[in-house]
Structures are given as structure tokens and as C-alpha cells.
Coordinates of all heavy atoms in Angstrom, one line a residue:
V487 N 0.8 -1.2 0.0 CA 0.1 0.0 0.0 C 0.8 1.3 0.0 O 0.7 2.2 -0.8 CB -1.0 0.0 1.1 CG1 -1.8 1.4 1.3 CG2 -1.9 -1.2 1.2
G488 N 1.9 1.4 0.9 CA 2.5 2.6 0.9 C 2.9 2.9 2.4 O 3.6 2.2 3.1
S489 N 2.4 4.0 2.9 CA 2.6 4.5 4.3 C 1.8 3.6 5.3 O 0.8 2.9 4.9 CB 2.2 5.9 4.6 OG 0.9 6.1 4.3
R490 N 2.1 3.6 6.6 CA 1.4 2.8 7.5 C -0.1 3.4 7.7 O -1.0 2.6 7.8 CB 2.0 2.9 8.8 CG 1.4 2.1 9.9 CD 2.3 1.8 11.1 NE 1.7 0.9 12.0 CZ 2.2 0.4 13.1 NH1 3.6 0.8 13.4 NH2 1.6 -0.4 13.9
Q491 N -0.1 4.7 7.6 CA -1.6 5.3 7.7 C -2.5 4.8 6.6 O -3.6 4.5 6.9 CB -1.4 6.8 7.8 CG -0.7 7.5 9.0 CD 0.8 7.3 8.8 OE1 1.4 6.9 7.9 NE2 1.5 7.8 9.9
A492 N -1.9 4.8 5.4 CA -2.7 4.4 4.2 C -3.1 2.9 4.5 O -4.2 2.5 4.0 CB -1.9 4.7 3.0
A493 N -2.1 2.1 4.9 CA -2.4 0.7 5.1 C -3.4 0.4 6.1 O -4.3 -0.5 6.0 CB -1.0 0.1 5.5
E494 N -3.5 1.3 7.1 CA -4.5 1.1 8.2 C -6.0 1.4 7.5 O -6.9 0.7 7.9 CB -4.2 2.1 9.4 CG -3.0 1.6 10.2 CD -3.2 0.4 11.0 OE1 -4.4 -0.1 11.1 OE2 -2.2 -0.2 11.6
R495 N -5.9 2.4 6.8 CA -7.3 2.8 6.0 C -7.7 1.7 5.2 O -8.9 1.3 5.2 CB -7.1 4.1 5.2 CG -6.9 5.3 6.1 CD -7.2 6.5 5.3 NE -6.4 6.6 4.1 CZ -5.1 7.2 4.1 NH1 -4.7 7.8 5.2 NH2 -4.5 7.3 2.9
V496 N -6.8 1.1 4.4 CA -7.2 0.0 3.5 C -7.6 -1.3 4.4 O -8.6 -2.0 4.0 CB -6.0 -0.4 2.5 CG1 -6.3 -1.6 1.8 CG2 -5.7 0.8 1.7
K497 N -6.8 -1.5 5.4 CA -7.3 -2.6 6.3 C -8.7 -2.5 6.7 O -9.5 -3.5 6.8 CB -6.3 -2.7 7.5 CG -6.7 -3.7 8.6 CD -5.7 -3.6 9.7 CE -6.1 -4.5 11.0 NZ -7.4 -4.0 11.5
N498 N -9.1 -1.3 7.2 CA -10.5 -1.1 7.7 C -11.5 -1.3 6.6 O -12.6 -1.9 6.7 CB -10.6 0.3 8.3 CG -9.8 0.5 9.5 OD1 -9.6 -0.5 10.2 ND2 -9.5 1.7 9.8
E499 N -11.2 -0.8 5.3 CA -12.1 -1.0 4.1 C -12.3 -2.5 3.9 O -13.4 -3.0 3.6 CB -11.5 -0.2 3.0 CG -11.5 1.2 3.2 CD -10.9 2.0 1.9 OE1 -10.6 1.3 1.0 OE2 -10.7 3.2 1.9
I500 N -11.1 -3.2 3.9 CA -11.2 -4.7 3.5 C -12.0 -5.3 4.6 O -12.8 -6.3 4.2 CB -9.8 -5.2 3.5 CG1 -9.1 -4.5 2.3 CG2 -9.8 -6.7 3.2 CD1 -7.6 -5.0 1.9
E501 N -11.8 -5.1 5.9 CA -12.6 -5.8 6.9 C -14.0 -5.6 6.7 O -14.8 -6.5 7.0 CB -12.0 -5.3 8.2 CG -10.7 -5.8 8.7 CD -10.2 -5.2 10.1 OE1 -10.7 -4.2 10.4 OE2 -9.5 -5.9 10.8
S502 N -14.4 -4.4 6.4 CA -15.8 -4.1 6.1 C -16.4 -4.9 5.0 O -17.5 -5.5 5.0 CB -16.0 -2.6 5.9 OG -15.7 -1.9 7.1
K503 N -15.6 -4.9 3.9 CA -16.1 -5.6 2.7 C -16.2 -7.1 2.9 O -17.1 -7.9 2.5 CB -15.3 -5.3 1.6 CG -15.4 -3.9 1.1 CD -14.4 -3.5 -0.1 CE -14.6 -2.0 -0.5 NZ -13.8 -1.7 -1.7
L504 N -15.2 -7.7 3.7 CA -15.1 -9.1 4.0 C -16.4 -9.5 4.8 O -16.9 -10.5 4.6 CB -13.8 -9.4 4.6 CG -12.6 -9.5 3.7 CD1 -11.4 -9.8 4.5 CD2 -12.7 -10.5 2.5
A505 N -16.7 -8.6 5.7 CA -17.8 -8.9 6.7 C -19.2 -9.0 5.8 O -20.0 -9.7 6.1 CB -17.9 -7.9 7.8
L506 N -19.2 -8.1 4.7 CA -20.4 -8.1 4.0 C -20.5 -9.3 2.9 O -21.6 -9.9 2.7 CB -20.5 -6.9 3.2 CG -20.7 -5.6 4.1 CD1 -20.7 -4.3 3.2 CD2 -22.1 -5.7 4.7
G507 N -19.4 -9.6 2.3 CA -19.6 -10.5 1.1 C -18.4 -11.4 0.9 O -18.3 -12.1 -0.2
G508 N -17.4 -11.4 1.7 CA -16.2 -12.3 1.5 C -15.3 -11.8 0.4 O -15.3 -10.6 0.0
M509 N -14.4 -12.7 0.0 CA -13.2 -12.2 -0.8 C -13.8 -11.7 -2.2 O -13.1 -10.9 -2.8 CB -12.3 -13.4 -1.0 CG -11.5 -13.7 0.1 SD -10.2 -12.5 0.5 CE -9.1 -12.9 -0.8
G510 N -14.9 -12.3 -2.5 CA -15.4 -11.8 -4.0 C -15.7 -10.4 -4.1 O -15.6 -9.8 -5.1
L511 N -16.1 -9.7 -3.0 CA -16.4 -8.3 -3.1 C -15.1 -7.5 -3.2 O -15.1 -6.4 -3.7 CB -17.2 -7.9 -1.8 CG -18.7 -8.3 -1.7 CD1 -19.2 -7.9 -0.4 CD2 -19.4 -7.7 -2.9
F512 N -14.1 -8.1 -2.6 CA -12.7 -7.3 -2.6 C -11.9 -7.5 -3.8 O -11.3 -6.6 -4.3 CB -11.9 -7.7 -1.4 CG -10.5 -7.2 -1.4 CD1 -10.4 -5.8 -1.2 CD2 -9.5 -8.0 -1.6 CE1 -9.1 -5.4 -1.3 CE2 -8.2 -7.6 -1.6 CZ -8.0 -6.2 -1.4
Q513 N -11.9 -8.6 -4.4 CA -11.0 -9.0 -5.6 C -11.2 -8.1 -6.8 O -10.1 -7.8 -7.3 CB -11.2 -10.5 -5.9 CG -10.6 -11.4 -4.9 CD -10.8 -12.9 -5.2 OE1 -11.8 -13.1 -6.0 NE2 -10.1 -13.7 -4.7
P514 N -12.3 -7.7 -7.2 CA -12.3 -6.9 -8.3 C -11.7 -5.5 -8.2 O -11.5 -4.8 -9.1 CB -13.8 -6.7 -8.7 CG -14.5 -7.9 -8.0 CD -13.6 -8.1 -6.7
E515 N -11.5 -5.0 -7.0 CA -11.1 -3.7 -6.7 C -9.7 -3.7 -6.2 O -9.2 -4.7 -5.7 CB -12.0 -3.0 -5.6 CG -13.5 -2.9 -6.0 CD -14.3 -2.4 -4.8 OE1 -13.6 -1.8 -3.9 OE2 -15.5 -2.4 -5.0
K516 N -8.9 -2.6 -6.4 CA -7.6 -2.4 -6.0 C -7.6 -1.3 -5.0 O -8.3 -0.2 -5.2 CB -6.7 -2.1 -7.1 CG -6.5 -3.4 -8.0 CD -5.5 -2.9 -9.1 CE -5.3 -4.2 -10.0 NZ -4.2 -3.9 -11.1
P517 N -6.9 -1.4 -3.9 CA -6.8 -0.2 -3.0 C -6.1 0.9 -3.7 O -5.3 0.8 -4.5 CB -5.9 -0.8 -1.8 CG -5.2 -2.0 -2.4 CD -6.0 -2.6 -3.5
A518 N -6.5 2.2 -3.2 CA -5.8 3.4 -3.7 C -4.3 3.4 -3.5 O -3.9 3.1 -2.4 CB -6.6 4.6 -3.2
L519 N -3.6 3.7 -4.5 CA -2.1 3.8 -4.3 C -1.8 5.1 -3.6 O -2.6 6.1 -3.6 CB -1.3 3.9 -5.7 CG -1.4 2.6 -6.4 CD1 -0.7 2.8 -7.8 CD2 -0.8 1.4 -5.7
P520 N -0.7 5.2 -2.8 CA -0.3 6.3 -2.0 C 0.1 7.5 -3.1 O 0.4 7.2 -4.2 CB 0.9 5.9 -1.3 CG 1.4 4.8 -2.0 CD 0.3 4.0 -2.7

């Protein structure tokens, strides 16, 4: 991801998406680059 702060934000987003629909919801998307 880049910086630690950006990685923490991506982690929170992924946890939310995994809770809603599993890996399938996350795979088509890429986290924003720093």
C-alpha cells in the first residue's frame, strides 16, 4: 500500500467488505495507491 497510515485505512475497508460479502467483493477492486 505505502505508508502505515494508508495501510490502516485499506485494512479497515477490507474488513468491512469481507464482513459483507467475502473475498469476492474485494477481488475486483484495488486499494488506492499512495
Side-chain angles (χ1 to χ4, degrees):
V487 177
S489 66
R490 182 168 187 172
Q491 293 80 2
E494 292 289 350
R495 291 197 301 269
V496 172
K497 170 181 176 292
N498 294 333
E499 295 175 4
I500 293 174
E501 286 178 333
S502 299
K503 292 180 180 180
L504 288 176
L506 291 175
M509 288 288 287
L511 289 177
F512 170 71
Q513 286 177 340
E515 301 178 11
K516 292 183 178 179
L519 291 179

